[in-house]
Amino acid sequence: MPAKDYAPIDENWLENAGSLWTTPWVDKPSERVIVDPIILSHAASLFRKNAGYFYQNPDEAIRMVCHACELYDVTPVGHYLYADYWGQDYGAEIKIQTNSPPGITKRPIKTAEDVDNFEVLDSDELAKGPTLTTHYKALDTCKEEFPHMFAPITQLGGTMEVATNWAAIEDVFMWMITEPEVVDKLCQKAGDHMVSACKATSERYGANVMITGSVIASGDLMDTEQIKRFSFQPVSRAVRKVLNAGAGPGIYYHLCGNHTDDYQMWKNAPMSPFTIVQIGYDGQNIFPTTKLVEAFGDRCTCFGTVDTKLIDRGTPAQVYEQAKEQVIAGKDSPRGFILGTACECPTNAPPVNVHALVKAAKDHGKYEKF
């Protein structure tokens, strides 16, 4: 729908939600913890559209997300992103899908020799490429139509995520065993790409919030030494370069999946005053907020999570109880706390479950010490 077909955002809601959202970083106290269910294509379902429509229409997508934020009373930030970024810029082919985000079907790197010859694009080249052209259409719409909900976000993933958008995941994992130095080179180049992408966003908007971390590089797929070598170390180098280049200051470490054995190493990741750390799972269970706050609470804002599978297939009572436990454990974390989902809100999640998540924060997330 064009902008004229939407009802106006309530200004009083926006002011209050903005206060809740910015509390961890400004000297302005608010009442309670804010909720961020990471709404993306779920917003499309509220407007009777599918995920394919959402991702093919970034301007409409951002409108849907912003109005969904008001509907649920959650973090007032317009999001638009998906996992398979950055392939097209280097010659990959993308398949548009009806009920899920776009997916890469053909990758540019086929052999170990291709890694040596692979050249990373600079910020000017990326800014003109297909990924950021689409991404910036969403951000520009947000900045123009919802200026108080705008954040200059760059979707990166970690070095392993970028690497496996350039080369097939089965090839990368085989090289980790047979030719690990090839994966070192690939992850180094992925880190250089991350720096270029952040520079492009910073140059366009004057600031940048990078979404990085470790998704593929989790305990379900890699051992601790592999995660350290191919994810933590190259991601940390890239983040330092981004900050040193003035292409920050926002950092969002999204550690998706199981991080039981490696989460401690991320305590030493580079952080700015505007850093959020989110960890999805501890084995097969949701990562306990108590552990999250103990490890990271004195360094950054902690993002406590509710199981995404529960949001998708659980009952409102189950969602409410898990959210209650997590928010009580984290609400007075020294540098602030956000309650949300372990990964993006599933497209067709029942709205009553998202409501239950928010209700738990309203009922039990009132600050006592923070």
Side-chain angles (χ1 to χ4, degrees):
M1 296 188 297
K4 65 180 180 62
D5 288 342
Y6 290 84
I9 295 283
D10 184 276
E11 294 298 326
N12 291 329
W13 168 80
L14 185 58
E15 181 179 1
N16 183 61
S19 177
L20 295 177
W21 166 231
T22 57
T23 291
W25 304 288
V26 298
D27 188 20
K28 184 180 179 182
S30 59
E31 178 187 11
R32 63 167 175 87
V33 165
I34 190 72
V35 176
D36 188 351
I38 316 180
I39 294 174
L40 291 164
S41 62
H42 174 71
S45 72
L46 303 176
F47 291 88
R48 302 181 71 178
K49 302 292 185 181
N50 58 41
Y53 184 89
F54 179 90
Y55 288 107
Q56 289 180 76
N57 297 277
D59 51 345
E60 290 195 52
I62 211 76
R63 293 181 190 119
M64 294 177 191
V65 168
C66 289
H67 283 274
C69 290
E70 182 189 19
L71 175 68
Y72 286 128
D73 193 9
V74 297
T75 303
V77 176
H79 302 93
Y80 177 87
L81 51 95
Y82 53 90
D84 283 7
Y85 263 32
W86 311 118
Q88 282 183 296
D89 301 276
Y90 295 91
E93 295 179 4
I94 288 282
K95 179 182 179 181
I96 301 300
Q97 304 174 103
T98 301
N99 296 312
S100 57
I104 295 175
T105 59
K106 183 179 179 182
R107 289 166 167 77
I109 294 177
K110 300 289 191 296
T111 67
E113 290 72 26
D114 289 342
V115 175
D116 287 327
N117 298 323
F118 192 81
E119 295 185 4
V120 173
L121 301 176
D122 64 27
S123 59
D124 291 336
E125 292 169 316
L126 284 176
K128 298 172 185 175
T131 299
L132 286 183
T133 297
T134 302
H135 187 77
Y136 289 161
K137 186 174 183 181
L139 291 188
D140 288 348
T141 299
C142 191
K143 186 178 180 183
E144 179 180 348
E145 298 179 16
F146 309 93
H148 296 295
M149 302 177 78
F150 171 76
I153 295 169
T154 303
Q155 158 66 352
L156 299 171
T159 48
M160 281 295 293
E161 288 68 52
V162 176
T164 52
N165 285 347
W166 293 342
I169 189 169
E170 60 268 25
D171 290 335
V172 175
F173 274 72
M174 180 59 71
W175 294 334
M176 276 198 287
I177 298 169
T178 61
E179 301 176 85
E181 69 280 356
V182 172
V183 185
D184 285 329
K185 292 177 186 177
L186 186 57
C187 289
Q188 177 66 50
K189 292 187 177 189
D192 291 343
H193 164 86
M194 291 164 63
V195 177
S196 291
C198 289
K199 284 182 178 178
T201 298
S202 181
E203 288 163 2
R204 185 180 184 92
Y205 298 112
N208 172 61
V209 179
M210 67 189 93
I211 300 178
T212 185
S214 182
V215 180
I216 289 172
S218 72
D220 291 327
L221 296 173
M222 297 167 61
D223 65 37
T224 304
E225 286 305 309
Q226 289 173 327
I227 293 171
K228 181 178 180 180
R229 178 172 177 176
F230 303 121
S231 181
F232 172 75
Q233 290 178 338
V235 165
S236 295
R237 283 195 298 267
V239 172
R240 288 190 189 95
K241 287 182 179 180
V242 168
L243 295 176
N244 289 339
I251 309 168
Y252 171 21
Y253 288 109
H254 176 64
L255 307 182
C256 201
N258 169 25
H259 290 276
T260 300
D261 296 328
D262 68 278
Y263 80 94
Q264 291 279 3
M265 73 176 69
W266 293 93
K267 291 165 59 176
N268 298 315
M271 298 187 186
S272 74
F274 303 98
T275 299
I276 298 169
V277 170
Q278 173 196 24
I279 306 178
Y281 294 89
D282 186 7
Q284 297 299 308
N285 300 313
I286 202 68
F287 198 88
T289 291
T290 49
K291 287 177 68 171
L292 182 70
V293 171
E294 181 181 356
F296 298 94
D298 62 345
R299 291 204 64 201
C300 64
T301 300
C302 290
F303 190 126
T305 56
V306 168
D307 193 342
T308 307
K309 298 187 296 296
L310 204 62
I311 294 288
D312 193 33
R313 299 189 290 274
T315 67
Q318 290 173 322
V319 172
Y320 183 89
E321 286 305 312
Q322 190 172 95
K324 172 184 173 181
E325 181 179 348
Q326 294 284 71
V327 76
I328 289 174
K331 63 182 180 181
D332 290 312
S333 185
R335 293 185 177 271
F337 183 75
I338 300 165
L339 179 68
T341 46
C343 201
E344 74 168 273
C345 185
T347 302
N348 296 309
V352 290
N353 284 355
V354 182
H355 171 71
L357 173 69
V358 177
K359 181 171 173 52
K362 291 181 177 181
D363 291 349
H364 303 283
K366 292 182 174 61
Y367 295 124
E368 295 179 16
K369 300 176 183 177
F370 178 71

